[in-house]
Amino acid sequence: MTNSRSSPSQDRRAPSSDSSISLFVIPGIPEIRKGQNLGRLIALAARRAGIVLEAGDILVVAQKIISKAEGRIVALSTVKPSPRALALAKKLSGDPRLMEVILRESKRVVRSERVLIVETHHGFVCANAGVDHSNVAGRDCVTLLPKSPDRSARQLAAALRKQTGKRVAVIISDTFGRPWRLGLINVAIGAAGVPAMIDLRGKRDSHRKLLRATVVAVADELAAAGGLLMGKAAGTPVVVIRGYRCRFVQDPASRIIRPAEEDLFR
């Protein structure tokens, strides 16, 4: 899907790569707890695995470990459901406490037939506001999305530079569904050091035809590539992408969110 929105900050130079792009996991990331320094833990795990991060590397980091480090975990036993949450739970045969957490993380409910689709306070339109039971200890604990994923990405990139002396980019990824297509795919919810989008409108293709609507969601493509090595149960929340060359920019992933006036589903 192309995005017709333009912005003066969009990078109009297409990225390049070497003859190949390599992806590999950083193994040995421990279970993350609130307040831990993720930059230090990732750098330490890389050193233990004999991995030397290089300038220009792109780290795709699962949202879940960001949320854990930031304490974005809720025990459902502490949640008192509102009348609206009780009504949604009855309609969807769900846990009213979970419905309450989702409502608190949402600006509005978009759909509530078969599944709960909402718009989060960030502007993401997704199932259950990103509230998730998986990969978190405790039977009734759920994780929430980071409050500001772009800020989290910037902070992690800065921490990694402090630990390694290398300027690396960071993409925070999460799995989202997509209109018109089945299945989940990793997308970028936060980014630092990579262009969120590359605007190729006005350039020409290999047959010299003018490109009129091509805006590439680079951060999403990189997140999806990293997702191939993560898996839901593999315990590998950090993937390094090496060989993809792009200008180092602070371009927030929030720019990928389609504005309401261009959204066909609102």
Side-chain angles (χ1 to χ4, degrees):
M1 184 186 300
T2 58
N3 190 317
S4 61
R5 178 170 44 159
S6 62
S7 167
S9 66
Q10 279 181 335
D11 194 336
R12 298 183 67 84
R13 293 183 295 173
S16 62
S17 66
D18 298 331
S19 58
S20 65
I21 297 174
S22 59
L23 292 87
F24 50 91
V25 301
I26 296 180
I29 304 293
E31 180 67 25
I32 303 301
R33 298 187 300 275
K34 180 180 178 180
Q36 287 187 305
N37 185 327
L38 272 183
R40 181 177 179 277
L41 291 176
I42 292 170
L44 181 60
R47 286 195 294 271
R48 285 175 173 168
I51 296 170
V52 178
L53 292 179
E54 298 178 1
D57 283 348
I58 301 167
L59 273 65
V60 181
V61 181
Q63 159 269 320
K64 193 63 60 73
I65 66 169
I66 301 291
S67 293
K68 289 179 178 179
E70 295 180 356
R72 298 283 286 161
I73 298 175
V74 172
L76 295 181
S77 59
T78 66
V79 177
K80 181 178 180 180
S82 63
R84 189 182 184 194
L86 290 167
L88 280 171
K90 183 177 181 181
K91 181 179 180 180
L92 297 171
S93 300
D95 186 331
R97 302 170 303 170
L98 177 62
M99 296 297 156
E100 178 62 27
V101 175
I102 294 168
L103 289 175
R104 292 176 186 177
E105 293 297 302
S106 305
K107 285 183 183 178
R108 66 187 180 99
V109 173
V110 179
R111 294 284 188 276
S112 59
E113 293 81 31
R114 294 179 294 173
V115 65
L116 189 58
I117 305 295
V118 302
E119 180 181 0
T120 72
H121 296 297
H122 319 81
F124 304 135
V125 177
C126 59
N128 298 331
V131 177
D132 191 9
H133 277 287
S134 66
N135 290 312
V136 58
R139 186 173 180 180
D140 73 340
C141 288
V142 295
T143 56
L144 318 178
L145 295 180
K147 286 188 176 180
S148 177
D150 283 313
R151 182 179 63 204
S152 299
R154 291 193 302 270
Q155 291 173 341
L156 180 54
L160 285 165
R161 186 167 190 178
K162 183 177 180 181
Q163 291 289 327
T164 66
K166 305 295 175 60
R167 189 170 72 171
V168 299
V170 171
I171 291 173
I172 297 174
S173 70
D174 195 14
T175 50
F176 274 44
R178 301 156 295 159
W180 300 314
R181 298 183 71 84
L182 297 173
L184 300 173
I185 191 168
N186 273 43
V187 302
I189 64 170
V194 295
M197 296 185 289
I198 298 292
D199 186 354
L200 299 179
R201 292 172 297 181
K203 294 185 177 294
R204 294 188 180 275
D205 66 13
S206 59
H207 296 280
R208 303 302 299 163
K209 294 177 182 177
L210 190 66
L211 299 175
R212 301 183 184 277
T214 304
V215 181
V216 182
V218 172
D220 279 350
E221 290 191 323
L222 292 166
L228 293 172
L229 294 183
M230 285 182 178
K232 277 292 187 182
T236 51
V238 181
V239 173
V240 180
I241 300 177
R242 180 169 293 169
Y244 187 85
R245 306 302 177 195
C246 59
R247 187 163 63 94
F248 191 93
V249 291
Q250 295 298 349
D251 191 15
S254 58
R255 277 206 312 116
I256 303 175
I257 299 172
R258 189 180 292 275
E261 61 271 16
E262 297 179 16
D263 192 330
L264 301 177
F265 300 94
R266 299 194 195 209

